[in-house]
Structures are given as C-alpha cells and as structure tokens.
Amino acid sequence: MIATIDWNFIATWLSEPKHLFDAISFVLGLLYLFLEFKASIWLWPVGIIMPLVHSVTYYKAGLYADFGMEFFYVAVAIYGFCKWRAGGKSSDKPITHFPVRLIAVAVVAFIAIWAGLYWFLSTCTDSTVPVLDAFTTALSIVAYWALAQKWAEQWLLWLVVDAVCAVLYMHKGIPFSAVRYGFYTIMAVLGYRNWLRLMRQQQ
C-alpha cells in the first residue's frame, strides 16, 4: 500500500516557529551549498539572508554562540562578496591553496576564539552544550575567512564543522538542521575535490 502524505500533520508541525525556520534554513542551506560547490559568487547574497533565518532557529534551540555569530556571518558574506568581485568580475578571484605560512596563525586564532566563547557560554548563558557550541562557532569563523579568500582547504574546515553540527543539532531537537549538516559533511568532501579540479583548470 502506498503511503499518503499527511499534509495536516506537516502544516501543524511547520506552524511551530522553530520548525518553520528550521525548514526554511534547510532550503537556503542547500542553495548555498550548490552555489559554493560551483564556486559561484552568488553564494554570498544567499549567505546574507541565510544567517538571519538561522539566528531564529539557534536562539530558540539555546545555541547562543551560533545565534550571535550569525550576525557576524552576515558581515563576512558582504566582505566575501566584495572580495570575490575584486576588479568587478567574480573570475578575478582565483581558487588557491591555504597558505602554509598562515596555518599556525589560524590554529592559534581558532583556539583563542574557542576558549573565549566557551568561557562566555559557560559563565554568562544557560547553554547545555558550551564546548561543542563554542567549537563549531570558532572553527566556522576560520572557515568563513578561508572561504572569503577562496582557499580550497576551506572545505576541509567545513567538513569538521558539519560533522559535529549534525550530531549537535540532532541532540538539540532541530532535525532539518541535523540532516542538512549531515548532507554538508558529504558535500564537503565532494566540494573539496571539485575546487581542486577548478583550480587545475585555472592553471
């Protein structure tokens, strides 16, 4: 017997703000990932809208570091759009590797941000997952910076973030976000390979 879709149940489920914004985030996230995979500059306009929607989801789930950082991500998206359009064309910003000379700087910055966010979450909020919330937020900051520079290894940073977020969001009861980040984890591997291919074509 073919199962039928219970539209009333879906409508009732989506009527709860947390689930509605989670579903919208899911759709925007897929669009963003597709544009990032293609190394399309249009990922940045989506990247301006998406954090504003995410902020509602994360606030309601008690992920306060993620909530606050969404506004930082809006600023990063604006910066990334301008960076990729250097000279007026998106193609003027080529894909390159993460500079070896900056790896130590990135690691130190990540640890410092992680520690600072953990302290804030554990002392100033009622967060139940301060370690992981701070970890994913801190690493996301570094990953966004790498994405704005159009470094291929930004995908590897997102691979770690996505895997941890998939588990964290399922634990916090926001299933659309959990599924989205599980999908992101797979796409991070494919995206890295695709950017390496695009980089070779540039050369």
Side-chain angles (χ1 to χ4, degrees):
M1 180 176 180
I2 300 176
T4 58
I5 299 176
D6 189 343
W7 293 108
N8 289 331
F9 171 78
I10 294 175
T12 301
W13 190 79
L14 289 175
S15 67
E16 184 176 340
K18 181 178 76 170
H19 294 151
L20 176 62
F21 279 94
D22 193 21
I24 295 173
S25 297
F26 180 80
V27 175
L28 288 175
L30 293 180
L31 176 60
Y32 180 90
L33 182 62
F34 172 77
L35 294 171
E36 184 182 2
F37 183 83
K38 295 292 186 179
S40 169
I41 194 173
W42 297 109
L43 73 92
W44 295 115
V46 176
I48 294 173
I49 300 172
M50 187 170 61
L52 298 178
V53 177
H54 285 173
S55 66
V56 177
T57 302
Y58 297 152
Y59 181 80
K60 291 182 177 296
L63 298 167
Y64 302 118
D66 281 343
F67 165 75
M69 289 313 302
E70 294 307 309
F71 299 98
F72 167 79
Y73 297 152
V74 171
V76 171
I78 295 173
Y79 167 76
F81 182 78
C82 295
K83 187 79 173 179
W84 282 32
R85 280 189 61 86
K89 297 179 181 178
S90 60
S91 59
D92 288 342
K93 181 64 177 175
I95 299 173
T96 56
H97 284 297
F98 199 115
V100 176
R101 59 185 172 79
L102 294 179
I103 292 179
V105 175
V107 171
V108 171
F110 161 68
I111 294 175
I113 296 171
W114 184 12
L117 288 174
Y118 170 74
W119 175 85
F120 175 78
L121 291 174
S122 60
T123 59
C124 302
T125 76
D126 59 352
S127 174
T128 58
V129 285
V131 174
L132 292 181
D133 195 5
F135 174 86
T136 55
T137 302
L139 192 55
S140 292
I141 292 174
V142 178
Y144 262 114
W145 169 59
L147 174 58
Q149 309 307 317
K150 217 168 185 180
W151 294 333
E153 284 70 28
Q154 58 94 12
W155 283 106
L156 301 182
L157 299 177
W158 287 120
L159 174 64
V160 178
V161 172
D162 297 339
V164 175
C165 282
V167 176
L168 177 60
Y169 295 161
M170 185 61 71
H171 171 71
K172 296 298 290 186
I174 42 180
F176 271 110
S177 290
V179 172
R180 185 176 77 247
Y181 277 90
F183 180 66
Y184 281 3
T185 302
I186 298 172
M187 290 304 299
V189 177
L190 301 178
Y192 179 56
R193 294 177 60 183
N194 188 56
W195 273 37
L196 292 180
R197 181 183 62 80
L198 293 175
M199 187 167 58
R200 288 192 296 269
Q201 290 179 353
Q202 291 172 175
Q203 299 170 352

